[in-house]
Amino acid sequence: MTEKPRPLRVAMIGAGFMGAAHSQGWRVAPRFFELDATPEMSLLVGRDPARTQAAADRWGWAETSTDWREAIARDDIDVIDIVTPGDSHAEIAIAALDAGKHVMCEKPLANSVAEAQAMAGAAARAEAQGVLSMVGFTYRRVPAATLARDMVAAGRIGQIRQVRAAYLQDWLSDENSPMSWRLQKDRAGSGSLGDIGAHAVDLAQFITGVELESVSGILETLVKERPLAADFSGLSGTAGEGRGEVTVDDLALFTGRFNGGFLGSFEATRFSTGRKNALRIEVAGSKGALSFDLERMNELEFFDATAPAAEQGFKTIIVTEAEHPYMAAWWPAGHTIGYEHGFSHQAHDFVQAVASGTAPSPSFADGLQVQRVLAAVEASAGAGSAWTTV
Amino acid sequence: MTEKPRPLRVAMIGAGFMGAAHSQGWRVAPRFFELDATPEMSLLVGRDPARTQAAADRWGWAETSTDWREAIARDDIDVIDIVTPGDSHAEIAIAALDAGKHVMCEKPLANSVAEAQAMAGAAARAEAQGVLSMVGFTYRRVPAATLARDMVAAGRIGQIRQVRAAYLQDWLSDENSPMSWRLQKDRAGSGSLGDIGAHAVDLAQFITGVELESVSGILETLVKERPLAADFSGLSGTAGEGRGEVTVDDLALFTGRFNGGFLGSFEATRFSTGRKNALRIEVAGSKGALSFDLERMNELEFFDATAPAAEQGFKTIIVTEAEHPYMAAWWPAGHTIGYEHGFSHQAHDFVQAVASGTAPSPSFADGLQVQRVLAAVEASAGAGSAWTTV
Amino acid sequence: MTEKPRPLRVAMIGAGFMGAAHSQGWRVAPRFFELDATPEMSLLVGRDPARTQAAADRWGWAETSTDWREAIARDDIDVIDIVTPGDSHAEIAIAALDAGKHVMCEKPLANSVAEAQAMAGAAARAEAQGVLSMVGFTYRRVPAATLARDMVAAGRIGQIRQVRAAYLQDWLSDENSPMSWRLQKDRAGSGSLGDIGAHAVDLAQFITGVELESVSGILETLVKERPLAADFSGLSGTAGEGRGEVTVDDLALFTGRFNGGFLGSFEATRFSTGRKNALRIEVAGSKGALSFDLERMNELEFFDATAPAAEQGFKTIIVTEAEHPYMAAWWPAGHTIGYEHGFSHQAHDFVQAVASGTAPSPSFADGLQVQRVLAAVEASAGAGSAWTTV
Amino acid sequence: MTEKPRPLRVAMIGAGFMGAAHSQGWRVAPRFFELDATPEMSLLVGRDPARTQAAADRWGWAETSTDWREAIARDDIDVIDIVTPGDSHAEIAIAALDAGKHVMCEKPLANSVAEAQAMAGAAARAEAQGVLSMVGFTYRRVPAATLARDMVAAGRIGQIRQVRAAYLQDWLSDENSPMSWRLQKDRAGSGSLGDIGAHAVDLAQFITGVELESVSGILETLVKERPLAADFSGLSGTAGEGRGEVTVDDLALFTGRFNGGFLGSFEATRFSTGRKNALRIEVAGSKGALSFDLERMNELEFFDATAPAAEQGFKTIIVTEAEHPYMAAWWPAGHTIGYEHGFSHQAHDFVQAVASGTAPSPSFADGLQVQRVLAAVEASAGAGSAWTTV
């Protein structure tokens, strides 16, 4: 057997849907990428012992625990991967960093700017000790999005004129779909704004390479009460009886000014009937434009305004070739990838950063900045859409 | 020869690009539609005698004049068709209506709410005398847009949840494209907002059947000076020398609340590189959604949320069948139409309304309402995007 | 009034659907294009006096007749425009050419190779006398198709590798749609092959600039009997009673070898459910590819294999700019045209050729060549798909 | 730890590109699907010891060997998974089946009908002993393709009228791309026909539920010689020197008649510039149509001809919902999958069949039938495209 690179022992805190995605990332990345360290799926931490064990068996984690502090206390754990709801991110991440564990944390970084600040502070202190951290804006790792960033950076669209960003879903369109923790402000922090608008903000900033400096926006709750599901364990009602109050936004509309001057429009909605998972970013520049839609994640639209006048048009680049970001590791030309591949790319980038001792991106500071944008949108919405500095 | 219906003698005031489009409408409509009166292209009025005569020859107008008052004074003219820049609409239209001429007036109705109010007042007075008027929001007559309106009215998308409207062009993306009257506030009234944003507002209200009640928005001039063209006859510079100041907006971003509560996002831009003429409206409802893009004007996207779960998706209706609005008059199934057909449809609708003595739609009052929306957006933009009642 | 160029007095023979399209071409072309002669809609010839008069009134023809020989005999007619069913093309066209009239003839040129040969002979004789002729493959005049031809000729796709051509309709999918002359071999010559397959053959040859030299194919009649319509005046049944036999093909599938060696696949069908008017041509070459679909006639897809590897993709050129064939005459950038515009382009090209005394294209010889291809397909189909020289 | 179902110990023969795909299938399937047996990646067999060991480490196989006979001889192996080139399929598969091992075999089943017949015979004998086998037409397991099959079977498109099938790639478009075993008849059996045309044939038959009974076609080699790559180990040249002869087809065009009468057109090409991996199937029926393109593998186009006339159109079903085949196991609504997921679905289907003792599909007999179609196309091509019974 050939020699493997040194192991990187991971404990994942949280066993919900995002846990399945992160597990797939840790499992698959070393099978396709040359890594300078080998992630090992050592410990899965969840609240319910039986459910956690079942998840560990399903996903392939070696051990389980019901106490995240145990994971942090163990010497044989190198990485803490946090996929719990946002209200617990700060406590776990700070404790892990302070204990010298590298941390990957799902987005949004936290439920408040204050928490995010504390986390970014802990990350900065830890980094000085060689302990690294990253926030999981995984859509940056969709090859078409990475390619868009690369093309903007290379000047292919010239000077940026304007941005259009939206994340459209429709799973709340049905007014009888039940309550969940994602619809409660105390658990989820915010609704469409934090859950999916955060992705739109991060991706727009990532692709343009410019941050938002001020915003004006509005938040709207379209359906204000929903039936309580039988297995609902939220705080604002008794499971299975009556209806619970939706305390987060269903729809966020806002405009932002980027540093350097250009404007962008933003939309995050769970009521855009027929749009299942449409994270869309279009950036127009003086020499061209780029357009991305997650519903066709293997494609990137590119308009080259320097082409001969009679031959201009949006070009559909099928982002599946060896020349495209991340793609040489996968299949032959023309073979598409799916949602979960972003998690393998994220695992790859995190592992390589940790192995080489360089700070991965996006950092907790980047996550804090997104949090500040979201907070500014909320503040603006509360002040009649007045322009609010990030 | 079979007997023709009674003639409707038209004088058209203005000989620019829109004049060509209106001429094609008057010329072609009677060749495809059964009309209850026959439009006759009697008189073309322009400023320059030679140019006006050349345009009349080209477009097929029987006579020419350089004085619009003459057109109004003549007994043998039934209809005044106004296609001049917005700053002259009010004077001509009011004089024509007061003189008992039916009036078709290009959009936007006027350059200010005050003018539009005066025009709507004149229209109301005239209508009491059987003298009719209409404002030319021609995109309502694109069959796919009319079909969208019909489907919303028939309840095919249920209760409206939200609206996304945009009019995207890119002809100012090149910072060296020259000054024109369209870039001067005193001539054009406004920039992208009034020129193309007006269409987005009208079409969104038309398709939903609901008017905007308040707005919050921002206007932006991306390129503040442009070279003066040799033939530029604007007011703020000497033709062909140096640069002129752009005094209108290049980009308008606003959010609106419709009566009844739902929100819509709006964008009007001349800097969306690669988008040539993309007037897009998407309306999401509790039972479905509709999506239209003028760049593919023969198509309407429809999502039916009541279809079986495994068979849901946006359906591309090719709006070329006899069952679709206006289309039975044209070609066999599957044969597409173009931009100018809207003007034939507009001519048809106007002639039929006048022939039957019923008020055509959209009325001057409708045009005034759009003007009020635009004015509210300007006011909001001037007040830090504060929400402003229409 | 400015001086008009000399008139070109047209008599059109035939008053069906294609008559409406040709009328629109003659009417509109001089309103948008600078022409060196002015077409005049002088005489419409049809079989039924009342119907012909109604059509003339509708379409704007000055006079009518029920005898095409009269049209040819008149001194004040310069052009004979033939839009009758294919079985009468040869007799009318040859008589007209022999009488010194310029002739435009709808496609297919004739119902048999023998007729087409006689017509091409007459055209050659006439041309020696300065009398010109053209066959109406109007889709060559769709700007996107013309642009494709220009780009192939300019070497933008390199050496041609293969061709995929199809004309897909579905109006016979319903097995109860009634009999018509188009379904009878003695009137129509052939079915999908001659009606729409002819367009696919002509357009593929036009865009590539290469002719087919041999073919192998099959013809299929999917529904062999259809109800007789009340107004059916065909030869094989009594109107309104029982069912008539379909004697033409519903579906033609063939492969062809072009001169120079490359292969193309062809399909013509009236049973491709959901495809209303999809004339599709894709040409792949060593340096790129072009793809056209008449259902989106304002678009041309172009793949440039010489672009950087990471930026390759099919580009959707919206063919509405002044730099595109024919388009400078119409509307501003981004404004689309429709089906009938091809007839204005055809009228323009014909008038300009006649005015300058140069032979228009496609010639009757071109029409004959297409006829030979169709005949070769029929022969191959009758011989078990054996390869048959054109 | 919860009890796992009984293990199914797999030995995979072959370590090329398809080996990576099959490995991913075995690895991932048990992580997302509830399986009634647990596949274990026990043994990888390759020719070169070092390369095989490296692949095993990379992909996660427990042991390696360079002798496939050893794999068959071992008692602790339950399944033989064959991913070698086609010329070795028959020998390995027959030996494995005779030894009582369940067999999964990549497509095409074999390089000749004779071999395929022997394999199907062995499979029948084995099945009588409870030993099962399957051929790897993995595209049947793309959820959109499975959904298409289900919808045809449920009568959603009525009686089938015609089929259009194509598999378009362009990786040989460059005439300087080097020789490989896939371009040599003695190794690969055939070129585009067997490699990708086989998929088009299988998928068309799978979706329609009907087999081809006769064909007429042509095969073409567009580039007849190619440079030898430095690492080329083929039989017809010395590695790295001069050029080798391409002895397989680059392009296959054929027409087929399905049992029951309808026709289909087929194309397989590696020269369709710009088309990377476009396996396209369109089936038109009396009540609707379905259209699939592997380049957008998460989508299925459906035309419902029974919808109201004004609302008909092709609907883009995004096949990512829990109601769609295989998708409940993966991610939330709207999250797409990629190429390799088909291999997890294949592994799932195979494991479940073996665990329950029922014959999986497609069987070796199905693979033989596809082989017969390919052989008939070759025979037809050699006989001037004469129609040839399958």
Side-chain angles (χ1 to χ4, degrees), chain A residues 78-379:
Chain A
D78 304 302
V79 173
I80 300 294
D81 180 15
I82 306 170
V83 296
T84 54
D87 56 348
S88 56
H89 286 187
E91 187 180 14
I92 301 171
I94 294 169
L97 288 167
D98 287 350
K101 308 298 189 195
H102 307 294
V103 173
M104 180 184 290
C105 182
E106 248 311 298
K107 53 62 55 185
L109 188 61
N111 278 5
S112 72
V113 168
E115 287 174 338
Q117 271 175 317
M119 292 170 78
R125 287 194 307 274
E127 191 177 332
Q129 309 298 321
V131 176
L132 303 172
S133 51
M134 181 168 136
V135 61
F137 285 111
T138 184
Y139 292 135
R140 293 183 173 205
R141 270 93 186 181
V142 172
T146 314
L147 177 61
R149 190 267 319 257
D150 293 347
M151 290 177 70
V152 170
R156 300 294 286 134
I157 65 165
Q159 188 186 345
I160 297 175
R161 300 290 201 196
Q162 62 170 113
V163 172
R164 195 175 305 114
Y167 202 143
L168 314 178
Q169 296 183 340
D170 72 352
W171 57 281
L172 291 181
S173 227
D174 178 356
E175 60 212 15
N176 291 315
S177 87
M179 277 300 292
S180 83
W181 68 265
R182 289 179 182 274
L183 304 182
Q184 289 198 293
K185 194 168 177 55
D186 45 14
R187 298 296 306 284
S190 75
S192 59
L193 179 64
D195 183 26
I196 55 178
H199 279 300
V201 167
D202 180 70
L203 201 56
Q205 296 188 141
F206 171 69
I207 290 174
T208 60
V210 186
E211 291 186 348
L212 286 160
E213 67 179 33
S214 57
V215 295
S216 162
I218 185 172
L219 302 177
E220 185 96 347
T221 305
L222 283 87
V223 170
K224 296 185 197 322
E225 283 189 348
R226 290 183 177 274
L228 294 172
D231 64 348
F232 178 71
S233 56
L235 306 177
S236 67
T238 307
E241 289 178 22
R243 303 174 74 83
E245 190 188 354
V246 176
T247 50
V248 299
D249 55 289
D250 293 327
L251 167 65
L253 293 171
F254 56 102
T255 304
R257 189 174 294 282
F258 288 76
N259 286 325
F262 57 89
L263 291 173
S265 66
F266 289 83
E267 175 179 3
T269 178
R270 293 154 166 175
F271 274 79
S272 189
T273 316
R275 306 300 175 188
K276 297 301 170 189
N277 204 29
L279 171 55
R280 298 173 177 180
I281 310 277
E282 184 162 323
V283 185
S286 57
K287 292 188 184 167
L290 288 161
S291 190
F292 171 74
D293 183 344
L294 185 62
E295 287 192 338
R296 286 180 171 164
M297 63 171 276
N298 291 280
E299 302 178 9
L300 179 67
E301 305 278 328
F302 171 46
F303 184 91
D304 181 359
T306 68
E311 291 183 10
Q312 294 188 8
F314 273 92
K315 178 192 283 190
T316 303
I317 303 170
I318 303 185
V319 188
T320 52
E321 309 304 289
E323 291 81 4
H324 293 135
Y326 301 106
M327 293 306 293
W330 297 101
W331 309 107
H335 290 68
T336 58
I337 60 171
Y339 164 70
E340 75 217 42
H341 289 72
F343 294 92
S344 289
H345 302 164
Q346 179 169 275
H348 165 270
D349 292 348
F350 183 82
V351 167
Q352 294 303 84
V354 168
S356 66
T358 56
S361 173
S363 67
F364 277 20
D366 295 327
L368 166 61
Q369 192 272 342
V370 171
Q371 207 70 32
R372 283 192 166 120
V373 172
L374 304 183
V377 171
E378 280 201 274

Side-chain angles (χ1 to χ4, degrees), chain C residues 114-128:
Chain C
E115 287 174 339
Q117 271 177 317
M119 293 170 77
R125 286 194 308 273
E127 193 179 329

Side-chain angles (χ1 to χ4, degrees), chain C residues 138-163:
Chain C
T138 184
Y139 291 134
R140 292 184 173 204
R141 270 94 185 179
V142 172
T146 314
L147 176 61
R149 191 268 317 260
D150 293 348
M151 290 176 71
V152 170
R156 299 294 285 133
I157 63 165
Q159 187 187 345
I160 296 174
R161 300 290 201 195
Q162 62 170 115
V163 172

Side-chain angles (χ1 to χ4, degrees), chain B residues 174-179 183 221-228 242-247 250:
Chain B
D174 178 357
E175 60 211 17
N176 291 316
S177 88
M179 278 299 293
L183 304 183
T221 305
L222 282 86
V223 170
K224 296 186 195 324
E225 283 190 348
R226 290 184 176 275
L228 293 172
R243 301 175 76 82
E245 190 188 356
V246 176
T247 50
D250 293 328

Side-chain angles (χ1 to χ4, degrees), chain D residues 94-330:
Chain D
I94 292 170
L97 289 167
D98 286 350
K101 309 299 189 195
H102 307 295
V103 174
M104 180 183 291
C105 182
E106 248 312 299
K107 55 61 54 186
L109 188 61
N111 277 5
S112 71
V113 169
E115 287 173 339
Q117 270 176 316
M119 294 169 78
R125 285 194 308 273
E127 192 178 330
Q129 310 298 323
V131 176
L132 302 172
S133 51
M134 180 168 137
V135 60
F137 284 111
T138 184
Y139 291 134
R140 292 183 173 205
R141 269 95 185 179
V142 173
T146 314
L147 177 61
R149 190 267 319 259
D150 292 347
M151 290 177 71
V152 170
R156 298 295 286 136
I157 63 165
Q159 188 186 346
I160 296 175
R161 299 292 202 195
Q162 62 170 114
V163 173
R164 193 174 307 113
Y167 202 143
L168 313 178
Q169 297 184 340
D170 73 352
W171 56 282
L172 291 181
S173 229
D174 179 354
E175 60 212 15
N176 291 316
S177 87
M179 276 300 293
S180 84
W181 69 264
R182 288 179 182 272
L183 304 182
Q184 290 199 293
K185 194 166 176 57
D186 45 14
R187 298 297 304 286
S190 76
S192 59
L193 179 64
D195 183 26
I196 55 178
H199 279 301
V201 167
D202 182 68
L203 202 56
Q205 296 187 140
F206 171 68
I207 291 174
T208 60
V210 186
E211 293 187 347
L212 286 160
E213 67 179 33
S214 57
V215 294
S216 162
I218 186 170
L219 302 177
E220 185 96 344
T221 306
L222 283 86
V223 170
K224 296 187 196 322
E225 283 189 347
R226 291 184 176 274
L228 294 172
D231 64 347
F232 179 71
S233 57
L235 305 177
S236 67
T238 307
E241 290 176 23
R243 301 176 76 82
E245 190 189 355
V246 176
T247 49
V248 299
D249 56 288
D250 293 327
L251 168 64
L253 294 172
F254 56 101
T255 304
R257 188 175 293 282
F258 288 75
N259 286 325
F262 56 87
L263 291 173
S265 66
F266 290 83
E267 176 179 1
T269 177
R270 294 156 165 174
F271 274 80
S272 190
T273 316
R275 304 301 175 188
K276 298 302 171 190
N277 205 28
L279 172 55
R280 299 173 176 179
I281 310 276
E282 183 162 324
V283 185
S286 57
K287 292 188 183 167
L290 287 161
S291 190
F292 171 75
D293 183 344
L294 185 62
E295 287 192 339
R296 287 181 171 164
M297 63 171 276
N298 291 280
E299 302 178 8
L300 179 66
E301 304 279 327
F302 171 46
F303 184 92
D304 181 357
T306 68
E311 292 183 10
Q312 294 190 5
F314 273 91
K315 178 191 282 190
T316 303
I317 304 170
I318 304 185
V319 187
T320 52
E321 308 306 287
E323 291 81 3
H324 293 136
Y326 301 106
M327 292 306 294
W330 298 102

Side-chain angles (χ1 to χ4, degrees), chain B residues 230-243:
Chain B
D231 64 347
F232 179 71
S233 58
L235 304 178
S236 67
T238 308
E241 289 178 21
R243 301 175 76 82

